[in-house]
Amino acid sequence: MNSLKLTVALAAGTLLSAQAVNAETLRLLTWGGYAPQEVIDQFEKETGIEVKVTKSNNEDMISKLRATRGSGFDLVQPSQDRITGAQRDFGIYQPIDMSKVDTALLIPSMVDATKKNTALDGEVYGVPHIWGTSGLVINTKNAGMIKDYTDLCNKQYEGKVSYRLKRPTLIGFAFAMGEDPFAAYSDPAKYKAILDKVEAKLVECKPNVKAYWSGGDELLNLVRSGEVVGAMAWDAGGWKVNRDNADINFVAPASGALGWIDTFAIPRKSKAVDAAYQWINFVNQPEVAAKITESAGNFTASKGADNFVNDTAKAQFQTSFPQADIDNIKWYPTVPAGLEEMEGLVLDRVKAAN
């Protein structure tokens, strides 16, 4: 090899080495289905950033980040009600720079809810992504008059309704009875008074309950068979039954569906912060978000993404969630210590009541 060729070869090798060193990797800690391969491939092609996915859940995310003091991952996806407590106790996240988030892509009410529920000491720690709700699954042919949770207790539906003996039932009934249980979280005495009111209603409602369901398949079978005409359940379950029976669908209650949001949060020692913001903005594009909905089974906070999913999912979503019902969703905030124990005692008494 002559000196010119050697010089060119060494220069090329140096350039490739520099590119390898500078090549960025986004280490994403997320739920199954939230980062489908086709979306990863598209992002990598457009940005040159490699994405490495580790599947996880809320407890595991907190555990991993706590053990490393906020390192090891660049972007994570905890539920919005699991952020401030972990941040207060362990300091594992860094504040979100909202100027780097294209909020024009997002449903405003979800941005506002996540800002509120992930705020700590004047900083925001979450950006909304995947969301879902619980509300009412109704056979509109037989129980079209059910518009809110308390309507399940109307005498005409005796022995034909179902819900779980879990905290969402307490919360849902409280809202339907004109209370705001989330606003009472900071006042245990007021919260107990609300629970007492709900407990009396649930005991009164017992003759209407065909079964207190504990598993999704159990409930869906009761609805499909016609044994249950109205139930408290999650949106995806209602849409699943709707594919078999057009008379059955998920309905957002008049007092508001109860919602959860899985967010984007950035670990305190993220090594690829810019890549994290690029991913957030990339997946919130409506066409990309629709691909995630097809994979995860739940919709995202991307505005207008429902227009790009399959026709069945699009029709179900738009029937169940007019804009006013989206804006009326009651998003779960962080639960203060002691409240779940209080709720457990109420549920035990309802179960034992004659």
Side-chain angles (χ1 to χ4, degrees), residues 175-187:
F175 276 113
M177 296 172 75
E179 302 288 349
D180 186 343
F182 295 159
Y185 268 12
S186 59
D187 186 341

Side-chain angles (χ1 to χ4, degrees), residues 24 61 238 261 278:
E24 197 164 14
M61 289 178 202
I261 299 177
Q278 286 186 64

Side-chain angles (χ1 to χ4, degrees), residues 127 132 151 165 177 201 223 225 250 252 334:
V127 177
D151 292 337
L165 280 180
M177 296 172 75
K201 185 65 175 178
V223 173
S225 69
F250 177 85
T334 301

Side-chain angles (χ1 to χ4, degrees), residues 211-254:
Y212 295 117
W213 65 270
S214 57
D217 289 340
E218 173 191 2
L219 172 66
L220 297 185
N221 288 335
L222 288 170
V223 173
R224 285 191 183 99
S225 69
E227 295 174 82
V228 164
V229 297
M232 281 188 69
W234 67 103
D235 45 24
W239 295 330
K240 183 177 181 179
V241 180
N242 177 258
R243 289 194 286 270
D244 302 324
N245 185 340
D247 290 330
I248 301 171
N249 208 352
F250 177 85
V251 175

Side-chain angles (χ1 to χ4, degrees), residues 66-261:
R66 180 184 179 186
T68 60
R69 298 181 180 180
S71 67
F73 297 93
D74 305 304
L75 186 63
V76 298
Q77 295 211 248
S79 299
Q80 67 164 0
D81 59 341
R82 303 298 296 274
I83 291 179
T84 57
Q87 178 62 15
R88 183 183 294 109
D89 293 342
F90 311 122
I92 54 179
Y93 301 118
Q94 60 179 271
I96 296 293
D97 182 349
M98 293 303 295
S99 71
K100 295 182 178 180
V101 178
D102 188 354
T103 54
L105 294 171
L106 300 170
I107 297 171
S109 60
M110 295 188 190
V111 175
D112 293 342
T114 304
K115 282 183 177 179
K116 177 182 177 181
N117 289 328
T118 67
L120 182 66
D121 299 329
E123 301 283 4
V124 172
Y125 288 90
V127 177
H129 188 219
I130 303 284
W131 64 279
T133 67
S134 60
L136 296 166
V137 173
I138 303 299
N139 187 320
T140 56
K141 186 175 181 179
N142 299 324
M145 296 301 292
I146 297 177
K147 305 296 184 183
D148 214 336
Y149 302 108
T150 47
D151 292 337
L152 296 171
C153 300
N154 292 348
K155 289 186 177 181
Q156 68 207 79
Y157 306 121
E158 185 171 347
K160 295 182 179 180
V161 307
S162 184
Y163 43 79
R164 292 188 298 168
L165 280 180
K166 297 289 185 180
R167 70 183 313 266
T169 298
L170 301 177
I171 299 296
F173 268 75
F175 276 113
M177 296 172 75
E179 302 288 349
D180 186 343
F182 295 159
Y185 268 12
S186 59
D187 186 341
K190 184 175 181 180
Y191 193 69
K192 183 180 183 304
I194 292 174
L195 289 181
D196 289 344
K197 184 177 177 181
V198 172
E199 178 181 343
K201 185 65 175 178
L202 291 176
V203 170
E204 174 192 323
C205 196
K206 287 194 77 169
N208 281 32
V209 179
K210 172 70 176 180
Y212 295 117
W213 65 270
S214 57
D217 289 340
E218 173 191 2
L219 172 66
L220 297 185
N221 288 335
L222 288 170
V223 173
R224 285 191 183 99
S225 69
E227 295 174 82
V228 164
V229 297
M232 281 188 69
W234 67 103
D235 45 24
W239 295 330
K240 183 177 181 179
V241 180
N242 177 258
R243 289 194 286 270
D244 302 324
N245 185 340
D247 290 330
I248 301 171
N249 208 352
F250 177 85
V251 175
S255 59
L258 303 177
W260 54 267
I261 299 177

